[in-house]
Amino acid sequence: MERPAWAPRSIDISVPSVSRIYDFYLGGSHNFEVDREAARKAMEFMPGLPKIMQANRAFMRRAVRFAAAEGIDQFLDIGSGIPTFGNVHEVAGRSRPGARVVYVDHDPVAVAHSEAVLAGDDDADVVAADLLKPREILSSPQVERLIDLNRPVALLLVAILHFVEDADDPYTAVAELSEALAPGSLLVLTHASYEGIPLPTERATGAVDVYKDIRNPLIMRSRDEIARFFEGYDMVEPGLVPMPRWRPEEAPEEADPYAFSGFAGVGRTA
């Protein structure tokens, strides 16, 4: 397999990557046949996976515009993945010129491509770090340069927490990040769940098993379990809801049934 220029030498391009699979679902070009094969296997059980990812991205853009309209001009996007059209720094920059964005990911492919996309952009940067190590993120040179933690920040945890197993205690990691935020900050979050999927759970589990097979378990939490991530936050209306129902720009009834899989919400620190 020929290695393209954007793929770091340090990664094994024969092993599927969650970031590249996500890129494939969104119609991107930064993925390999091994990623496409894994995605197609998952889609045999859950053919609407691309619709779920598209709804996820659409929610993210609406939430960023909401945050900007609320006066927030700092964004910390953890688990950012491979930058695609309409990413946080583009949406935030259009809504609030001069907005500062720091992306965080532990996938070398996502970090390398982010560095290429952001080259020459003084208002955005990327950190190679893990969600489970909040102190490393918050003390990174990139965050210290661009993010003033004494002012409100929008913390984005979009489609990342469902890749963290309970044994790794994602609730503590989110709480540590939240404690560092100034009053008026926002937590923007999406999470996969069996609730809302227009399929029997037994069939949807087949797609979940594909992620387990590639050693990236997909943890499907209940709405109540997802709501726990917002402890200490006041929920922004309409609360924790299926993605198409969070401040929609089009009638939710027109959305694909798969778009209602999982939950999205925004909380505000007091």
Side-chain angles (χ1 to χ4, degrees), residues 21-98:
I21 291 171
Y22 189 84
D23 179 70
F24 170 72
Y25 287 141
L26 292 174
S29 59
H30 290 83
N31 51 78
F32 302 116
E33 183 55 34
V34 66
D35 307 304
R36 297 188 284 272
E37 181 180 351
R40 286 191 287 262
K41 282 183 180 177
M43 289 170 63
E44 288 177 8
F45 298 97
M46 200 183 300
L49 277 166
K51 294 296 183 182
I52 298 174
M53 308 312 167
Q54 291 163 17
N56 188 79
R57 295 289 296 184
F59 160 77
M60 179 275 289
R61 290 191 288 267
R62 296 197 304 276
V64 168
R65 287 194 291 268
F66 168 79
E70 293 289 295
I72 291 179
D73 60 1
Q74 305 184 105
F75 298 81
L76 181 59
D77 184 0
I78 301 179
S80 50
I82 297 172
T84 57
F85 176 75
N87 212 10
V88 174
H89 71 284
E90 295 174 335
V91 178
R94 285 195 296 269
S95 300
R96 186 163 286 273

Side-chain angles (χ1 to χ4, degrees), residues 33-267:
E33 183 55 34
V34 66
D35 307 304
R36 297 188 284 272
E37 181 180 351
R40 286 191 287 262
K41 282 183 180 177
M43 289 170 63
E44 288 177 8
F45 298 97
M46 200 183 300
L49 277 166
K51 294 296 183 182
I52 298 174
M53 308 312 167
Q54 291 163 17
N56 188 79
R57 295 289 296 184
F59 160 77
M60 179 275 289
R61 290 191 288 267
R62 296 197 304 276
V64 168
R65 287 194 291 268
F66 168 79
E70 293 289 295
I72 291 179
D73 60 1
Q74 305 184 105
F75 298 81
L76 181 59
D77 184 0
I78 301 179
S80 50
I82 297 172
T84 57
F85 176 75
N87 212 10
V88 174
H89 71 284
E90 295 174 335
V91 178
R94 285 195 296 269
S95 300
R96 186 163 286 273
R100 296 186 167 194
V101 178
V102 175
Y103 294 110
V104 181
D105 209 293
H106 71 287
D107 184 333
V109 174
V111 173
H113 191 55
S114 297
E115 289 173 340
V117 168
L118 301 174
D121 189 336
D122 293 335
D123 293 327
D125 210 337
V126 60
V127 179
D130 193 321
L131 164 68
L132 296 174
K133 298 178 179 178
R135 292 176 186 173
E136 289 186 12
I137 295 171
L138 296 172
S139 64
S140 66
Q142 297 91 328
V143 169
E144 291 186 344
R145 180 175 73 86
L146 289 173
I147 305 294
D148 179 359
L149 292 173
N150 294 310
R151 297 194 300 110
V153 176
L155 170 63
L156 281 75
L157 299 174
V158 176
I160 178 62
L161 290 167
H162 49 232
F163 290 114
V164 184
E165 298 181 83
D166 288 339
D168 291 322
D169 196 6
Y171 295 102
T172 293
V174 174
E176 287 185 17
L177 288 164
S178 299
E179 288 168 5
L181 302 180
S185 294
L186 298 177
L187 171 60
V188 177
L189 184 153
T190 65
H191 199 296
S193 176
Y194 284 120
E195 298 176 40
I197 296 177
L199 286 173
T201 299
E202 297 75 20
R203 184 168 177 80
T205 299
V208 173
D209 287 344
V210 171
Y211 283 88
K212 188 184 301 181
D213 290 343
I214 64 171
R215 300 181 182 178
N216 281 281
L218 181 59
I219 312 302
M220 306 290 270
R221 295 188 172 95
S222 68
R223 185 184 183 282
D224 287 345
E225 290 171 326
I226 298 166
R228 281 183 56 200
F229 289 113
F230 285 100
E231 288 184 0
Y233 289 86
D234 296 324
M235 294 303 294
V236 171
E237 288 293 333
L240 187 62
V241 295
M243 292 176 287
R245 298 196 182 282
W246 196 89
R247 298 180 176 246
E249 295 169 349
E250 299 177 356
E253 294 74 19
E254 297 177 6
D256 187 280
Y258 277 97
F260 294 86
S261 305
F263 294 95
V266 176

